[in-house]
Amino acid sequence: MADPLRGWGCSEPFLLFILLGTLWEAGAGHIRYSVPEELDKGSFVGNIAKDLGLEPRELEERGVRIVSRGRTQLFALNPRSGSLVTADRIDREELCAQSARCLVSFNILVENKMKMYGVEVEITDINDNFPRFRDEEVKVKVNENAAVGTPLVLPFARDADVGVNSLQRYQLSSNIHFSLDEKSGGDGQKYPELVLEQPLDREKVPVHDLLLTALDGGDPILSGTTHIHVMVLDANDNAPLFTQPEYRVSVPENIAVGTRLLTLTATDPDEGINGKLTYSFRNEEEKISETFQLDSNLGEISTVQPLDYEESRFYNMEVVAQDGGALLASAKVLITVQDVNDNAPEVLLTSLSSTVSEDCLPGTIIALFSVHDGDSGENGEIVCSIPRNLPFKLEKSVDNYYHLLTTRALDREEISDYNITVTVTDCGNPPLSTENHIFLKVADINDNPPIFLHTSYYTYIPENNPRGISIFSVNAHDPDSGNNAQVTYALAEDKFQGTPLSSYVSINSDTGALYALRSFDYEQVRELQLWVTASDNGDPPLSSNVSLSLFILDQNDNAPEILYPALPIDGSTGVELAPRSAEPGYLVTKVVAVDRDSGQNAWLSYRLLKASEPGLFTVGLHTGEVRTARALLDRDAIKQNLVVVVQDHGQPPLSATVTLTVAVADSIPDVLADLGSLEPSTDPDDSGLTLYLVVAVASVSCVFLAFVIALLTLRLRRWYTSRTLQASGSGLAGLPASHFVGVDGVRAFLQTYSHEVSLTADSRGSHVIFPQPNYADTLISQESCEKSEPLLIPEKISAKERELEVLQKHGNWSAY
């Protein structure tokens, strides 16, 4: 390291003093150093790295830097050595003027920790300034009749150094008329005076030349001189006299330019020129003459430029009143400047984080800033504040530095950015304030799953829909931003009736729109229960589910199906039996139908579409019951054809028809007796029924004849008993006439007397139906309708017919 005292010619003891001056101490969070002035640029001040507890290389890594406000940077950091060095030559007198101690304060910022360290460097004085008089030559006038001991005011010298290096004493060149006296003012300044030791004689010595020397206390001692010319004047035996030796005035710093501050008054009892006084400043500094003006005749002091408390708090000056005879008097003037609150506080941002994550912990440092107010006292006291409703607080750091900290967790979805207004207010009257805005953006994290508007959804779709039709659309909102807010949709994997749901419905992953992949059939699928998952693109992703119920709406796409009377599989038509003695409203049969649709599409109504005898039968609109509308007459045909239509209430309505054949007779023999008298019908169905009845009767007759011959052969003796034949006839007469019978069932009826026989008009086959009691009012199950078997084979039909003919000829029908 270069010698910091090179070129100063200092002795070894002084060098030791300088080196010891660099010792530091850390108290109350401050680091203090001491260094003499006028060191070369780059001179060592202190090992700042060691004092901060860091290695030299860590200064740059941790962003250690000097933070100061409003002045030229006097010191710098040497990152290689970790030391604090001078940034330029430091002149203590320029920096601190006559202050007893010269302290330079600044702060060291450790950027990565946002921590401040206060540093104070005391600049010690060296004897680098000579005592100086304002003028190299000064004229002093004195009356020749001045009494011995008369004091004469002399100009005083100024030394910019302080302490022992400042002005210490004066010396006067040797002479017999004058001696030197020194006086100390209230400000510590030493003022020289000439004291008349012997009477003067202007005629002998009109002018006395003296040399005044000012000496300081440095090592070596420095000095300055001025030549004093004492002018001996003619007698003027009264000197001017001020009304008071010292004038004091206190004025506010915002006083207007040109305002009169005070008036000095001096008197002289002499007359004429010796009594006329003029006022003037003596030994004034440049700043005095630039700021104030003295009226030479009136002694009034006024301002010529604005006062500034922050620049200078008081002004010392000397005013001289001199008469025409060269006698004078002096008075001290002290003008004190009062501070007014004319400086608003200042805010200086030192470090700022413009973005903070919403999951940052409470106590996270957002910004570091300093505040300053140029005023003093209460006017310079500062209060910092931010709005109370924000999740931040201010915490004071070193000196006038403040930290802006978080106080609780942030939520970007609630507030995404903050405009923090830092208000700095002083305590003046009226107070002044400054606002500074800190803009902070909250960075998003994926802390919110997508949210559906509802907890569940349901929608309807008509059956027989086109494939690919849009069914519904779900929407989920994610309050996050960016990728964290991009939502995709998917259907949960599930099966319906053993088939994956994905074969029924698909969803657009971007829009949430659902589409039907097939045409739905209400009779097969009435409801689908789906789960829709919404996921964001965060890391890790978050998701939520919602249920969607898809209801299939029925369409009228199924015609009614007639369950009873059922059409036999061989194509035959059943015959219903109605007795001629039936009363109006007699239940003949009941048409039973169903519709696979639902709702009004399955509401059925029955009506008679066509009848052989209009007005003879009616059909219940809602029950399908076929009843007689009036009493049956002898003239009514034995065979009645009815066409019943069953219609639903859909739009458009669908229908089905069934043809019923009703045989009008009191008993089966009556039916058989009337079969031969039936005339062929022009209706193909009627002719077929007649032909079938004829064939059936012939078959029964043949079978019956063979049966009778067998009985006559085996049991001839028993045939004489007529009771058996009469019992058989009475059983036949008691047969319910309203039961559903047919020609092909005659044989079974005659054999058992306990079953109902169904005859069909179709000659290709006949069926026997075994109904339950109250058959006409009860819906026949499909099983009972299907319990049918052929009663007769074609070879036996002719035999049965022959038997019937034999019985008719012999009059034995009633026996059976």
Side-chain angles (χ1 to χ4, degrees), residues 575-592:
V575 177
E576 303 289 342
L577 186 62
R580 289 188 178 272
S581 60
E583 296 295 331
Y586 176 80
L587 177 63
V588 178
T589 186
K590 181 175 183 178
V591 178
V592 179

Side-chain angles (χ1 to χ4, degrees), residues 295-370:
D295 189 306
S296 59
N297 296 320
L298 300 177
E300 295 177 348
I301 298 178
S302 58
T303 59
V304 293
Q305 69 177 17
L307 303 179
D308 189 354
Y309 174 85
E310 288 69 43
E311 182 178 341
S312 182
R313 301 184 180 185
F314 56 85
Y315 295 90
N316 276 320
M317 60 193 74
E318 185 181 12
V319 177
V320 174
Q322 185 173 353
D323 60 18
L327 295 179
L328 53 85
S330 64
K332 300 292 182 180
V333 177
L334 176 61
I335 299 177
T336 302
V337 181
Q338 297 175 345
D339 182 43
V340 296
N341 196 23
D342 60 345
N343 290 282
E346 299 176 1
V347 178
L348 180 63
L349 276 175
T350 304
S351 182
L352 172 65
S353 298
S354 59
T355 303
V356 63
S357 177
E358 63 177 321
D359 62 347
C360 69
L361 297 176
T364 300
I365 298 177
I366 303 302
L368 174 67
F369 62 90
S370 63

Side-chain angles (χ1 to χ4, degrees), residues 694-721:
V694 172
V695 174
V697 171
S699 300
V700 171
S701 298
C702 292
V703 174
F704 185 70
L705 181 59
F707 176 72
V708 170
I709 294 173
L711 289 177
L712 289 174
T713 304
L714 296 176
R715 297 184 181 183
L716 183 59
R717 292 180 181 181
R718 295 182 181 182
W719 277 100
Y720 71 93
T721 306

Side-chain angles (χ1 to χ4, degrees), residues 240 242 260 262-268 273 275-281 293-302 319-324:
F242 281 98
R260 184 181 65 187
L262 77 162
T263 300
L264 286 79
T265 303
T267 59
D268 192 326
I273 191 66
K276 182 175 178 57
L277 302 178
T278 58
Y279 301 91
S280 64
F281 288 123
Q293 178 181 353
L294 175 61
D295 189 306
S296 59
N297 296 320
L298 300 177
E300 295 177 348
I301 298 178
S302 58
V319 177
V320 174
Q322 185 173 353
D323 60 18

